[in-house]
Amino acid sequence: MSAGTPAARAAELRELLNRYAHAYYVLDAPLVSDAEYDRLYQELEALEQRHPELRTPDSPTQRVGGRALDRFEPVRHAVPMLSIRTETDIGDAGASNFDTKVRKELGLDATAPAVEYLAELKFDGLAISLRYENGLLVRAATRGDGEVGEDVTQNVRTIGQIPLRLSGKAPVLLEVRGEVYMRRDDFDSLNARQTEAGEKTFVNPRNAAAGAVRQLDPNMTRKRPLSFFAYSIGETSGWTLPARQSELLEALEKFGFPVSSERTVARGAEELVAFHQRIGELRNRLPFDIDGVVYKVDLVEQQQKLGWVTREPRWAVAHKYAPQEEITRLLNIEIQVGRTGALTPVAKLQPVFVGGATVTNASLHNEDMIRRKGVKIGDWVVVRRAGDVIPEVVTAVVDRRDGKETDFVMPETCPVCGSHAMRAEDEAITRCTGGLFCGAQRKQALLHFASRRAMDIEGLGDKLVEQLVDGGIVKTPADLYKLGLLSLATLDRMAEKSAANVLQGIEQSKNTTLPRFIYALGIRNVGETTAKELARHFGKLDNLVTAKEAALLQVQDVGPIVANSIAAFFAEPHNVEVVEQLRAAGVHWTETEPAEQAAVLPFTGKTFVLTGTLPSLSRDEATAMIEAVGGKVSGSVSKKTHYVVAGAEAGSKLDKAQQLGVTVLDEEGLRALLARGPEQE
Ligand code: IVH
């Protein structure tokens, strides 16, 4: 193969791409940008298209799935895939029981030195055997019954962490064994995608990983984010075997496999206990599930001496942790009202110890989720608590039903305030329409009402609001304006002191503007920008209060969802009453004539995004300048963004703008643009 030929270039590209993939997937330290990788990949793809004979099995283009299978071919394991005995004692005795047995079987007396063990993680995925001939991945198989597994080569090829070719000097034959698993973050985003697509979610990462590996269509597997850890070998020839398990793991790492760094050589039972404890504390923070740790006698010579009993080696043991999944009774489903009025169904469980804590409540998210999981009140359910995440009801144990279970029904009114509960057509969440009137939302609504960009009441913080609401002194924002020093007497001293200062702030806030007032009401989906548009469009508050949805849709940027939430807000008599009380208390602003026809300003319809710190303009100043000429300032960059104004420390918004080819300006550029007017399209 001479330099400069297509064959030489293809070999070079394969080598580069495989090296880059290893750095990216295994070492988590990319050597080149995604764009550079894609460019080389496309070059190789084109080259292989022109010269199909250059398409080798270790080409990264061969990772993409082939055709779907009817069934998996059986694979007989030359060396059976064993399982590990589980030490039943969850406590420290687990390690010393094992050490005692090993010492006895090795014929070591009390004076003999400590046995060396390799302590590693017990990954919660599925075991896979990977066969490499002369360094090339030729077959991947599941464990099956330990004797015969299934050929899942096509699927396993799609896993980026598994090398298609071994690095360094490869043995004639090497069968690597390890665990295919799914990281928790990958599992969560996979389930989020499933939910979005209206499909069934997976119960846990292990099931998701196992299901993915056993997909008949490799293109499905490719869409499931899988990972891999190597931990042992099967059949092998043509190299000098390492003398220790710890050295074997190092060798596997050199061949290009991911090997967990959470491993240690432990001397004697005491060090095993220490490892078990350390990993136990770390467990929740690991990015993947484990169900225990594994101790293996480190010296291969001693392993051979110990041998096997009934498919389980005497030189290895699994020491488990308390399970992260348990089965318990779903006693009831109650509704919790969140600060945005979201009605969240919460599972009331028969207390169960899972993932290191007693769980009595678990979120069920929303109505659809309950239906998708198929749980009924009274069911036996699987409860999962992995990592520091909130406990979750995963699924119902349908086989244990006795017919007394009942379906959950979302209430039509808010359980806290009795207002109508509403679920927008394409939304999963049911919300209380009570707004300012609803007790659960009151505190949050008050804080929003008082916030700087709303009524700007200085000093009205969490603590005070908490006291005012819990003491029944303040129910609605209107009550704030009725506060006198007398009513503050019931507060504790700290709150009393700040309340005295706050009275002045409340007085000052009476003089406000219509956009601020509308924003302060905390109508769902009405942010500052929409509030400004509404004020400009309607001019007078009464016009807004009485506006029908059709009229609201006339306002710039108000779509059906926003129009609906505004109309729903003012349809609640409580809300209108609060507005009246506020006006009666002296809250005032200057009203204008409605903008019959929106004055056509030069930048009407243009969207700007601000990012980073501008040299002389504050965010608010820049926003005001843009709005004065009809432009709109939005929070995120999309294809619809016209200009991104970037200052110092601009972050991902700038990257996104560059990706999308959006015009990027600095402060000077912005001033020039606003002075000269938009470019004509
Ligand atoms: S070694 C000779 N090491 O546990 C023992 N297995 O019950 C062969 N597993 O099927 C397995 N983590 O799926 C070994 N660090 C680890 C492991 C591990 C998880 C799984 C594997 C195996 C099962 C054995």
Side-chain angles (χ1 to χ4, degrees):
M1 184 165 63
S2 50
T5 62
R9 180 59 181 160
E12 185 181 14
L13 287 168
R14 281 197 302 270
E15 201 274 321
L16 275 177
L17 288 165
N18 281 332
R19 184 142 53 87
Y20 294 160
H22 179 255
Y24 181 89
Y25 288 110
V26 180
L27 305 178
D28 214 1
L31 292 170
V32 292
S33 68
D34 290 5
E36 170 72 0
Y37 184 91
D38 291 346
R39 197 178 60 71
L40 296 175
Y41 184 93
Q42 279 155 16
E43 186 188 340
L44 180 59
E45 222 176 14
L47 200 58
E48 289 174 348
Q49 209 129 49
R50 271 180 277 128
H51 304 277
E53 73 281 5
L54 298 179
R55 206 171 271 151
T56 60
D58 67 328
S59 168
T61 62
Q62 301 308 297
R63 284 198 188 272
V64 290
R67 229 172 286 123
L69 304 172
D70 296 331
R71 61 177 205 112
F72 295 113
E73 290 300 324
V75 173
R76 178 163 290 278
H77 301 297
V79 177
M81 288 182 81
L82 302 171
S83 56
I84 322 177
R85 190 172 63 80
T86 299
E87 184 53 64
T88 43
D89 199 319
I90 300 266
D92 294 354
S96 49
N97 286 350
F98 176 57
D99 184 51
T100 307
K101 270 183 232 159
V102 166
R103 291 183 70 88
K104 197 174 137 217
E105 278 152 20
L106 286 174
L108 302 174
D109 64 19
T111 60
V115 174
E116 289 182 323
Y117 299 98
L118 193 273
E120 53 188 63
L121 305 181
K122 187 165 189 325
F123 311 105
D124 206 4
L126 83 157
I128 285 286
S129 142
L130 306 168
R131 187 181 174 92
Y132 291 83
E133 289 175 6
N134 297 310
L136 280 185
L137 174 66
V138 295
R139 199 178 64 203
T142 60
R143 176 168 180 269
D145 62 4
E147 301 281 344
V148 180
E150 291 176 318
D151 187 331
V152 289
T153 314
Q154 280 209 85
N155 291 345
V156 166
R157 278 184 169 283
T158 67
I159 304 173
Q161 285 196 331
I162 292 181
L164 298 176
R165 174 191 282 281
L166 301 179
S167 328
K169 195 170 159 351
V172 178
L173 172 65
L174 177 65
E175 188 196 332
V176 174
R177 292 176 177 179
E179 201 90 345
V180 170
Y181 67 97
M182 194 178 284
R183 291 168 51 98
R184 286 185 193 136
D185 52 357
D186 286 335
F187 171 74
D188 290 341
S189 39
L190 172 64
N191 265 354
R193 287 201 300 277
Q194 292 288 110
T195 305
E196 207 154 284
E199 308 222 2
K200 213 174 146 38
T201 52
F202 297 94
V203 170
N204 55 38
R206 178 176 27 110
N207 284 10
V213 169
R214 300 198 64 259
Q215 276 288 331
L216 288 166
D217 181 357
N219 291 302
M220 293 294 288
T221 311
R222 195 152 61 94
K223 292 186 195 132
R224 308 273 167 83
L226 296 171
S227 300
F228 179 75
F229 277 128
Y231 49 65
S232 74
I233 55 170
E235 202 184 3
T236 185
S237 65
W239 66 311
T240 317
L241 280 172
R244 289 170 175 271
Q245 167 72 7
S246 50
E247 289 166 5
L248 172 70
L249 294 180
E250 282 161 23
L252 291 175
E253 231 164 9
K254 289 208 183 86
F255 285 134
F257 294 95
V259 175
S260 169
S261 53
E262 294 303 342
R263 60 181 200 258
T264 192
V265 176
R267 283 161 201 83
E270 233 168 80
E271 292 189 21
L272 290 178
V273 170
F275 182 78
H276 185 256
Q277 254 163 19
R278 184 173 73 77
I279 300 298
E281 280 155 26
L282 187 71
R283 184 187 188 194
N284 282 349
R285 280 174 281 136
L286 288 173
F288 46 83
D289 283 3
I290 58 168
D291 54 354
V293 291
V294 179
Y295 311 136
K296 295 175 183 169
V297 170
D298 200 34
L299 273 172
V300 174
E301 200 192 312
Q302 288 183 333
Q303 288 183 3
Q304 283 162 351
K305 223 182 257 176
L306 289 158
W308 286 266
V309 262
T310 61
R311 302 171 153 273
E312 289 173 353
R314 271 199 285 251
W315 46 264
V317 76
H319 196 179
K320 296 217 176 173
Y321 293 112
Q324 293 182 315
E325 272 176 23
E326 276 298 349
I327 290 175
T328 190
R329 202 71 181 264
L330 175 60
L331 302 174
N332 197 8
I333 297 178
E334 289 178 1
I335 299 293
Q336 216 167 59
V337 185
R339 55 189 180 84
T340 59
L343 266 51
T344 308
V346 178
K348 295 287 154 181
L349 303 165
Q350 193 154 308
V352 62
F353 192 75
V354 53
T358 301
V359 172
T360 48
N361 293 327
S363 168
L364 284 162
H365 304 289
N366 57 54
E367 213 178 344
D368 291 350
M369 195 64 109
I370 295 177
R371 204 168 323 121
R372 211 171 299 122
K373 289 179 175 173
V375 298
K376 293 171 184 263
I377 297 166
D379 260 336
W380 287 93
V381 291
V382 177
V383 176
R384 178 175 157 85
R385 181 177 182 273
D388 294 326
V389 296
I390 309 159
E392 209 192 347
V393 171
V394 217
T395 189
V397 187
V398 180
D399 292 348
R400 286 179 77 167
R401 284 195 177 147
D402 62 6
K404 294 202 192 96
E405 299 77 14
T406 55
D407 282 319
F408 166 76
V409 191
M410 195 57 139
E412 284 172 8
T413 54
C414 171
V416 174
C417 72
S419 296
H420 182 61
M422 193 178 75
R423 178 173 168 182
E425 220 160 86
D426 40 7
E427 253 202 87
I429 293 167
T430 304
R431 284 174 204 279
C432 162
T433 51
L436 301 179
F437 176 74
C438 178
Q441 296 173 69
R442 211 170 274 159
K443 289 177 193 170
Q444 208 52 43
L446 283 168
L447 285 170
H448 171 79
F449 181 84
S451 66
R452 197 171 58 79
R453 293 170 164 278
M455 298 299 281
D456 195 15
I457 304 178
E458 221 165 301
L460 191 66
D462 298 15
K463 282 265 155 54
L464 185 56
V465 166
E466 182 109 21
Q467 291 238 347
L468 291 171
V469 173
D470 290 347
I473 304 166
V474 170
K475 292 197 176 65
T476 75
D479 296 340
L480 289 173
Y481 295 89
K482 296 173 197 152
L483 282 179
L485 274 174
L486 200 65
S487 50
L488 303 178
T490 53
L491 302 174
D492 71 30
R493 285 196 50 205
M494 266 305 290
E496 194 183 324
K497 220 166 125 197
S498 49
N501 293 332
V502 133
L503 284 181
Q504 198 189 343
I506 291 173
E507 192 53 36
Q508 281 168 358
S509 74
K510 286 182 182 172
N511 183 12
T512 187
T513 68
L514 183 54
R516 274 178 178 274
F517 184 76
I518 296 171
Y519 174 61
L521 293 175
I523 305 167
R524 209 176 130 59
N525 298 314
V526 176
E528 245 185 309
T529 314
T530 308
K532 281 181 197 163
E533 277 307 320
L534 291 168
R536 202 174 63 80
H537 186 95
F538 290 103
K540 296 180 169 53
L541 183 69
D542 288 335
N543 295 343
L544 173 64
V545 173
T546 54
K548 298 275 177 306
E549 284 192 43
L552 289 163
L553 285 168
Q554 300 303 307
V555 182
Q556 197 189 326
D557 291 329
V558 171
I561 294 174
V562 183
N564 186 266
S565 41
I566 298 169
F569 182 88
F570 290 116
E572 281 294 335
H574 319 296
N575 292 336
V576 180
E577 202 176 303
V578 168
V579 167
E580 280 320 312
Q581 286 175 1
L582 285 166
R583 279 207 279 206
V587 175
H588 63 279
W589 54 85
T590 312
E591 300 211 316
T592 58
E593 284 309 308
E596 276 301 346
Q597 265 170 329
V600 183
L601 293 165
F603 283 88
T604 300
K606 298 286 182 207
T607 305
F608 291 70
V609 171
L610 303 173
T611 177
T613 314
L614 299 176
S616 74
L617 289 173
S618 72
R619 247 192 117 70
D620 286 349
E621 286 164 348
T623 304
M625 275 172 62
I626 292 165
E627 287 176 350
V629 290
K632 214 191 96 186
V633 175
S634 148
S636 60
V637 180
S638 74
K639 275 183 283 188
K640 291 186 193 143
T641 309
H642 295 94
Y643 304 100
V644 167
V645 184
E649 310 295 333
S652 61
K653 290 181 191 173
L654 179 56
D655 298 340
K656 182 105 186 262
Q658 282 159 346
Q659 258 171 39
L660 294 173
V662 175
T663 310
V664 177
L665 306 164
D666 58 8
E667 181 180 317
E668 204 179 318
L670 173 69
R671 289 180 189 276
L673 173 76
L674 298 185
R676 123 184 131 241
E679 287 93 15
Q680 294 305 311
E681 278 135 80

